[in-house]
Amino acid sequence: TDRLSATLGLRVDRNNTTSRAVSPRAGVIWKAGADTTLKTLYGRAHRAPNVYERDYADGATLIANNDLRAEYIETLEAVAEHVVRQGLVLRASAYRWVMTDLIGLAAESADGPPQYQNGDKVGARGLELSVDSQWANATRLRASLSLQRAAYSGGTALYNSPRLLARANLSAPLPWAGASAGVEWRH
């Protein structure tokens, strides 16, 4: 309808490593009002192990793993977007993703070379708030704040995965040949 739309997709990959993988996608978009849009998005994807991860072995620094499987990710996201005025958009997004059979380097034995292996299940839940503002002279400010918790299936926090991410980007056009300059801050 004019206010409600749905998009469905299906991707089928076939390769000699993982045979066949099916990756569905779905999105439902509701135009709740003249300036407000609500979206629900779902997706599943995979990544087959590459030749290096699966087949490389030199006996000294790496052991091959012909049993390595593809890793999968499944995502679900709800998004609310509101146009405050022309050039000013506010967004809020809540999401969850789960990755299974994550491919990583692991020690085969305490004194032997490592090997790529399928690992534990990893999941994350989060919330992101953002603002996008653009002025008549094409100067643009984009800023976001994300709170997330990413953890292994046992509850241990994911390494090198911050709980708070803040970001701001300011860009402006320059008077020469369509160039622009910008500065970005991340924390």
Side-chain angles (χ1 to χ4, degrees), residues 111-124:
D111 58 348
Q115 177 185 60
Y116 282 97
Q117 297 178 0
N118 292 103
D120 202 358
K121 181 166 38 170
V122 175

Side-chain angles (χ1 to χ4, degrees), residues 25-159:
R25 310 274 199 287
V28 176
I29 301 170
W30 176 42
K31 188 112 172 107
D35 300 323
T36 304
T37 304
L38 303 175
K39 304 174 187 179
T40 302
L41 309 168
Y42 167 81
R44 179 179 160 97
H46 86 288
R47 182 183 78 84
N50 62 42
V51 173
Y52 181 77
E53 293 166 333
R54 184 178 162 91
D55 299 328
Y56 182 76
D58 64 4
T61 62
L62 198 61
I63 298 172
N65 184 353
N66 294 324
D67 296 325
L68 200 57
R69 298 178 310 278
E71 57 187 19
Y72 289 87
I73 187 167
E74 194 167 19
T75 64
L76 183 61
E77 183 175 14
V79 181
E81 183 175 284
H82 181 70
V83 178
V84 177
R85 60 175 165 71
Q86 184 175 350
L88 180 59
V89 179
L90 302 176
R91 282 183 202 87
S93 172
Y95 63 89
R96 173 193 70 70
W97 59 256
V98 175
M99 186 176 273
T100 54
D101 290 329
L102 186 62
I103 297 171
L105 200 55
E108 181 65 12
S109 66
D111 58 348
Q115 177 185 60
Y116 282 97
Q117 297 178 0
N118 292 103
D120 202 358
K121 181 166 38 170
V122 175
R125 295 173 189 251
L127 175 66
E128 181 174 337
L129 305 172
S130 67
V131 61
D132 190 340
S133 183
Q134 186 165 344
W135 291 272
N137 67 355
T139 298
R140 186 174 185 186
L141 172 67
R142 291 177 291 173
S144 65
L145 178 67
S146 300
L147 302 166
Q148 82 169 4
R149 167 106 166 95
Y152 293 99
S153 60
T156 304
L158 194 62
Y159 304 111

